């Protein structure tokens, strides 16, 4: 099985901050990496697919990068609506989600 | 507009079999490349992928749960059914169905259905 490890598990930040979340795969997954945002009581929302492609309708302050085993999600300037939990997910072999990163208001 | 909606029991007893149905609209599971997957999330915990079925009846399962899962489709009813045997309290979770799109990412999700396993 491919394991996905996110860091940090939680993060406090302020509106306007630049934030980076990291996801590491236990083996190379090329660019088969997706990022989701989830708010309490809601289904996850796809933000980034194929490591760096922005899903339609997602603000451009969200960006993704990486390939192989190391990936990052960056939010360039945090907005109030961005405080949520973020998950990475590999679709290279089977499917696996990371454990999540909870982004909280400082 | 594509929508998916999960349905099934809210409460099951330990050792019972859970049957969940995903009813969708706006696409056909007979169209090449189309699939539907299941993902679950225990309260306060992370997402866990369970299974996927494609238009050509190709089926994929989580290795850790493969022995307990069966996914099937009914193209005429626009439904995908997931069964999970030998339910345990640790299987208490919200169960989502979702459609994979570009990059094989789940880009459209149902609202989820909460299943509690308790005697």
């Amino acid at each position: 099985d491919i394991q996905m490890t996110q860091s940090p598990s939680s993060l406090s930040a302020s509106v306007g901050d630049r934030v980076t979340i990291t996801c590491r795969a236990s083996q190379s997954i090329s660019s088969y990496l997706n990022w989701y945002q989830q708010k309490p009581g809601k289904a996850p929302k796809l933000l980034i697919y194929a490591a760096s492609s922005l899903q339609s309708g997602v603000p451009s302050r969200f960006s993704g990068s990486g390939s192989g085993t190391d990936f990052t999600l960056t939010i360039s300037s945090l907005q109030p609506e961005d405080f949520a939990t973020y998950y990475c997910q590999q679709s290279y072999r089977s499917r696996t989600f990371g454990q999540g990163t909870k982004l909280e208001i400082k | 507009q594509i929508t998916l909606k999960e349905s099934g029991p809210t409460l099951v007893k330990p050792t019972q079999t859970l049957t969940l149905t995903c009813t969708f609209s706006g696409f056909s599971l007979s169209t090449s490349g189309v699939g539907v997957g299941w993902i679950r999330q225990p309260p306060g915990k992370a997402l866990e992928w369970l299974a996927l079925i494609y238009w050509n009846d190709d089926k994929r399962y989580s290795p850790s749960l493969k022995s307990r899962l069966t996914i099937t489709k009914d193209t005429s009813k626009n439904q995908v059914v997931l069964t999970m045997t030998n339910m345990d309290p640790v299987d208490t979770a919200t169960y989502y169905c979702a459609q994979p799109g570009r990059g094989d990412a789940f880009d459209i999700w149902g609202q989820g259905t909460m299943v509690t396993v308790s005697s």
Side-chain angles (χ1 to χ4, degrees), chain B residues 33-105:
Chain B
V34 174
V36 172
W38 286 93
I39 302 100
R40 71 177 179 179
Q41 185 173 37
K45 296 189 177 181
L47 300 163
E48 179 181 20
W49 172 72
L50 301 176
L52 257 174
I53 189 166
Y54 289 99
W55 86 103
N56 58 357
D57 213 35
D58 183 15
K59 301 171 185 179
R60 308 293 172 92
Y61 295 101
S62 165
S64 62
L65 292 168
K66 185 175 183 177
S67 64
R68 298 175 53 205
L69 296 174
T70 302
I71 190 169
T72 59
K73 61 181 175 68
D74 187 329
T75 304
S76 65
K77 293 183 178 179
N78 281 354
Q79 291 181 334
V80 170
V81 175
L82 181 75
T83 61
M84 181 179 292
T85 61
N86 195 25
M87 293 292 285
D88 183 271
V90 301
D91 297 312
T92 294
T94 297
Y95 287 75
Y96 296 98
C97 61
Q99 186 191 41
R102 284 179 288 182
D104 226 10

Side-chain angles (χ1 to χ4, degrees), chain A residues 25-73:
Chain A
S26 59
Q27 65 182 78
S28 177
I29 58 170
S30 185
S31 295
Y32 290 87
L33 192 283
N34 311 304
W35 290 99
Y36 301 85
Q37 176 194 68
Q38 188 180 33
K39 296 183 179 180
K42 300 294 186 181
K45 173 187 175 183
L46 177 64
L47 300 175
I48 302 285
Y49 63 93
S52 60
S53 296
L54 192 66
Q55 174 70 354
S56 176
V58 173
S60 59
R61 63 180 179 272
F62 291 92
S63 64
S65 65
S67 66
T69 60
D70 294 316
F71 302 86
T72 59
L73 172 71

Side-chain angles (χ1 to χ4, degrees), chain A residues 2 5 9-10 13-14 16 19-20 26 42 47-48 51-52 70 72 76-77 82 88 95 100 102 106:
Chain A
I2 299 175
T5 304
S9 295
S10 63
S14 301
V19 167
T20 297
S26 59
K42 300 294 186 181
L47 300 175
I48 302 285
S52 60
D70 294 316
T72 59
S76 60
S77 178
D82 299 337
C88 63
R95 308 287 183 274
K102 187 173 184 179
K106 184 182 286 185

Side-chain angles (χ1 to χ4, degrees), chain B residues 2-49:
Chain B
I2 292 175
T3 64
L4 303 98
K5 187 173 183 179
E6 307 86 352
S7 60
T10 57
L11 179 66
V12 298
K13 297 184 188 303
T15 75
Q16 286 187 336
T17 294
L18 171 69
T19 299
L20 294 173
T21 301
C22 176
T23 303
F24 56 85
S25 63
F27 67 95
S28 172
L29 248 184
S30 59
T31 301
S32 179
V34 174
V36 172
W38 286 93
I39 302 100
R40 71 177 179 179
Q41 185 173 37
K45 296 189 177 181
L47 300 163
E48 179 181 20
W49 172 72

